[in-house]
Amino acid sequence: MYHDEIAFDAMPLANPFDAEARPGPAEALEEGFADRLAGLVLASDLFSARNPGPRTRLEEAPVASCWEGATIRFCGERLDQDDLDAFLGCVLLAFRESGRTGAARFRLRDLTRLIRPKGRRFDARRLERSLWRLASARIEIEEEAGCVRMQARLLHTLLCDRAAGICALDVSPRLMQGLRSAQAVERLLAARAPLGSAAFPRWLAALLLNGPATQRLDMTALRRLSGLTRQPMPAFRVRAIAALQDFLDLGYLAAIEPAGPDRLVAKRPVARGEEPACLLLS
């Protein structure tokens, strides 16, 4: 089964909803900043699950997340799950080339091979536009009633040579730290690849594979975090349950159990050496 191929026993990404990650003084925030940023990338509507549409420019747009006590705003062109694939591909290439420093130099065609399922046409300009969206994105975070403010970027620098089809960039070292290792990112990309172009299943896969082995999922919270608040709840409920059932078939999940009105318990195989923690997402 596909479960065996992606090897859940080595998924080391940090849980973005860790109960121990509480707002506090600047020193405490500094310590967990990388993990929180990784959670923001993988489990919020920063890279929303909406289908691609007009690339509107957003200024200080609120980001729905589970970062307790924080106000998070985004500036830049709207990002989607295709942009997240491009970003994860850049992170993987940077890990392979320079470790956690985040520097990478590559051909656009090589990046495409990492993130596009076989059979999809290579479109250099489309991929380049995605990289520029990532480079222009800015995230502003405010905690402690305005006493602690942070700003983060996904890419610090980007250079594209269109004639040669080559790009050079620097991924945020904080995000390199939060995403932990090349192996973790490889598994995340491998889990998303069979899902094709479907935005919500790819978003949900990132959330489930990044969290603990058992998660109590609230449909209202899933709809908010995925950026699908405009979809009526009955239609969203059908979409979410269908995606979870597909994950059962793929081996990403071991079981799904009802837990009350609009709540489910999703269990994935427990990794070797992993604590069987439980998360309530509400």
Side-chain angles (χ1 to χ4, degrees):
M1 291 187 71
Y2 200 80
H3 160 215
D4 298 324
E5 181 179 339
I6 63 175
F8 283 95
D9 59 299
M11 178 67 74
L13 292 176
N15 173 15
F17 315 119
D18 194 335
E20 295 181 2
R22 299 296 185 188
E27 293 78 7
L29 293 175
E30 169 78 11
E31 184 177 346
F33 191 36
D35 289 341
R36 288 185 173 91
L37 283 180
L40 200 58
V41 166
L42 299 175
S44 78
D45 69 345
L46 177 64
F47 292 91
S48 77
R50 290 188 292 269
N51 291 326
R55 295 290 185 171
T56 53
R57 174 80 187 182
L58 304 175
E59 292 294 336
E60 297 189 351
V63 175
S65 78
C66 288
W67 191 326
E68 186 178 349
T71 299
I72 303 171
R73 300 191 181 277
F74 170 78
C75 299
E77 286 190 61
R78 189 184 302 276
L79 302 174
D80 60 23
Q81 289 296 297
D82 285 344
D83 296 316
L84 179 55
D85 280 337
F87 179 69
L88 292 174
C90 292
V91 171
L92 179 53
L93 289 169
F95 269 126
R96 290 176 176 177
E97 184 171 327
S98 62
R100 290 191 179 183
T101 65
R105 183 178 183 275
F106 53 85
R107 293 185 179 276
L108 285 173
R109 190 173 295 276
D110 293 335
L111 176 58
T112 301
R113 291 193 184 101
L114 284 179
I115 66 176
R116 292 281 185 266
K118 292 181 179 179
R120 289 183 62 177
R121 185 171 63 88
F122 171 64
D123 187 336
R125 290 298 177 87
R126 180 178 179 181
L127 186 54
E128 183 185 325
R129 287 194 294 270
S130 183
L131 294 178
W132 285 112
R133 282 192 293 274
L134 294 169
S136 66
R138 187 176 79 250
I139 305 164
E140 297 178 350
I141 306 159
E142 187 173 297
E143 272 205 3
E144 293 293 298
C147 295
V148 179
R149 299 186 64 187
M150 295 160 274
Q151 186 179 106
R153 291 187 177 273
L154 302 171
L155 301 181
H156 285 181
T157 61
L158 173 63
L159 180 152
C160 291
D161 184 335
R162 287 182 174 176
I166 292 175
C167 285
L169 53 78
D170 293 282
V171 180
S172 163
R174 297 281 190 179
L175 279 165
M176 296 295 294
Q177 179 184 351
L179 292 170
R180 303 301 174 91
S181 69
Q183 292 77 18
V185 180
E186 284 173 351
R187 283 183 286 274
L188 200 51
L189 284 168
R192 288 162 59 89
L195 305 176
S197 60
F200 177 71
R202 285 188 288 164
W203 178 90
L204 186 58
L207 181 143
L208 291 175
L209 299 185
N210 184 55
T214 299
Q215 299 190 37
R216 294 173 61 89
L217 305 175
D218 178 273
M219 290 293 172
T220 301
L222 284 180
R223 189 173 66 147
R224 176 178 64 88
L225 292 171
S226 63
L228 295 176
T229 53
R230 294 182 181 180
Q231 184 172 36
M233 178 54 80
F236 176 81
R237 187 183 299 114
V238 170
R239 172 185 280 192
I241 292 174
L244 290 168
Q245 182 61 52
D246 287 342
F247 290 172
L248 272 176
D249 296 339
L250 286 167
Y252 296 180
L253 293 178
I256 303 172
E257 302 171 359
D262 277 339
R263 284 192 172 184
L264 296 170
V265 175
K267 299 179 180 179
R268 63 170 173 80
V270 179
R272 287 192 292 271
E274 177 185 9
E275 293 292 332
C278 179
L279 165 71
L280 172 61
L281 180 62
S282 60

